[in-house]
Amino acid sequence: MTPRDQTNSAVTAIAHPNIALVKYWGKDDLTRNLPATGSVSITLDTLMTRTTVAIAPDGKDRFELEGREETAMAARTFRYLDAHLGADRPRLSITSENNFPTAAGLASSASGFAALVVAINALLDRHAAQSVMAQAAGAGSGSAARSLFGGFARLDKATSDTDDIRVQQLAPAAHFPLAVVVAVTAEGRKPIGSTEAMIQSRDTSPYYDRWVADQEGDLDTAENAILRQDFEALATVSEHSCLKMHAVMQTTQPSLLYWNAATIACMHEVSAMRRDGVGVFFTIDAGPQLKAVCLPADRDRVASALADVPGVKRLIHAGLGDGARVISGAADLD
């Protein structure tokens, strides 16, 4: 657990957020951060978290996010590292930045923890397998395990108290090229974090148990659609999963209503395009941003339509990308 050079080494890793098409919402085990449902996701290419980790020269943990010292995220991160690496771990200096809005429903925690785990694995010369790093990332953020993988990924929940999640790449990005147009309808942080919101849903939504029970069928349907490159089947199961998850959220007490007027207007616009034969469907996570997943040939039409929706502040364009990886510093440890 001791790095080879504790004074001069630093490792930088990047990871991309992923978007669940078959959604994850709910916790089975808060201590181990195990999800109550499986999920199927796509990893994006242009959205990115860049994280640099080094041994702290003064022996004190430090965390900077977007160029500012962070307190709430630092506390969460270092508690996680204490649990993951042990109390005798080296003290670390961590700097992280996103090229997309943080904590706004665009999976910044997924890419953040994925990049962190990959960087620390290299810094501390641990040589952990990707599957082991996925377990570690998932312990920090339930969706982060999927960002270890590029293209299409499937996460299956633990099946017993002693079991772990299982994550695998279903197909690389090139197998089934898709484009994603993100309609940003609000720039600020969401009002309630996902973990707290999931607990409230479990405890109060009348739809929560049915949501969990139906998940396995949706996972298999989505996997088969991806392997067959069946866009219409993937669109149908993805939109239905999104709407079911938000039904659970909205029937939570107090209600978790992450959408705004522009989100709903974008949903109507995507539905109208799909009825007109455009290869597009929507998905929305715990936030107000709508992600329009489309066939590459239809990307420009989708972007033009969403840009005209009142309340859309800007668009983010993406395709399918690679998994988390080290981009500098690893060679210094060899």
Side-chain angles (χ1 to χ4, degrees):
M1 196 175 297
T2 302
R4 297 180 185 179
D5 184 343
Q6 292 197 357
T7 58
N8 298 316
S9 60
V11 173
T12 299
I14 60 173
H16 304 283
N18 67 80
I19 295 172
L21 302 182
V22 174
K23 298 297 191 186
Y24 142 60
W25 191 254
K27 301 285 188 183
D28 254 356
D29 184 330
L30 285 172
T31 301
R32 298 169 64 201
N33 202 35
L34 296 180
T37 62
S39 50
V40 169
S41 64
I42 51 176
T43 300
L44 306 183
D45 56 1
T46 57
L47 280 67
M48 183 186 308
T49 297
R50 178 187 178 100
T51 298
T52 299
V53 182
I55 303 301
D58 59 359
K60 297 179 180 179
D61 287 327
R62 181 181 177 85
F63 185 94
E64 287 189 2
L65 179 65
E66 315 294 355
R68 298 184 300 275
E69 192 160 2
E70 176 70 36
T71 54
M73 181 59 72
R76 174 185 175 185
T77 300
F78 291 120
R79 281 198 305 270
Y80 159 78
L81 290 176
D82 287 341
H84 179 55
L85 298 176
D88 62 341
R89 65 171 176 82
R91 302 302 105 177
L92 299 172
S93 174
I94 301 170
T95 59
S96 188
E97 58 184 8
N98 300 313
N99 68 350
F100 60 98
T102 300
L106 289 172
S108 59
S109 64
S111 53
F113 272 97
L116 178 66
V117 165
V118 169
I120 288 176
N121 181 67
L123 179 70
L124 302 186
D125 202 19
R126 292 167 63 85
H127 300 288
Q130 190 176 38
S131 59
V132 174
M133 288 192 288
Q135 298 290 339
S141 171
S143 56
R146 302 187 308 245
S147 281
L148 267 291
F149 300 84
F152 301 84
R154 174 169 174 165
L155 184 153
D156 287 292
K157 68 174 186 175
T159 57
S160 71
D161 292 341
T162 58
D163 193 15
D164 287 317
I165 58 170
R166 297 176 304 284
V167 194
Q168 62 176 314
Q169 184 186 58
L170 294 178
H175 167 76
F176 190 6
L178 297 174
V180 181
V181 180
V182 181
V184 178
T185 67
E187 297 281 5
R189 290 174 176 255
K190 57 192 178 185
I192 180 170
S194 294
T195 296
E196 181 182 352
M198 288 180 193
I199 295 169
Q200 292 180 9
S201 291
R202 180 198 63 194
D203 292 343
T204 66
S205 172
Y207 299 154
Y208 180 80
D209 289 342
R210 181 62 182 269
W211 155 255
V212 173
D214 286 351
Q215 194 76 346
E216 287 301 315
D218 287 351
L219 294 173
D220 292 340
T221 298
E223 178 176 343
N224 290 334
I226 290 164
L227 297 180
R228 298 195 316 269
Q229 300 171 305
D230 187 336
F231 183 84
E232 184 59 30
L234 184 61
T236 299
V237 70
S238 297
E239 282 195 356
H240 195 211
S241 178
C242 170
L243 293 172
K244 286 190 294 184
M245 181 183 74
H246 281 275
V248 172
M249 293 176 175
Q250 291 165 18
T251 54
T252 296
Q253 295 181 359
S255 181
L256 301 165
L257 185 57
Y258 288 106
W259 301 342
N260 56 36
T263 311
I264 297 171
C266 287
M267 293 166 66
H268 285 298
E269 187 63 38
V270 170
S271 295
M273 285 189 283
R274 190 173 169 200
R275 288 194 298 270
D276 287 343
V278 179
V280 62
F281 63 89
F282 66 76
T283 189
I284 309 161
D285 295 301
Q289 329 304 355
L290 179 137
K291 296 91 173 177
V293 182
C294 57
L295 295 170
D298 290 321
R299 176 180 53 199
D300 290 346
R301 179 173 175 181
V302 170
S304 178
L306 291 178
D308 290 338
V309 173
V312 171
K313 298 181 179 298
R314 62 189 176 99
L315 301 179
I316 299 173
H317 297 266
L320 304 191
D322 297 324
R325 58 207 180 273
V326 169
I327 61 170
S328 68
D332 299 333
L333 302 177
D334 293 337

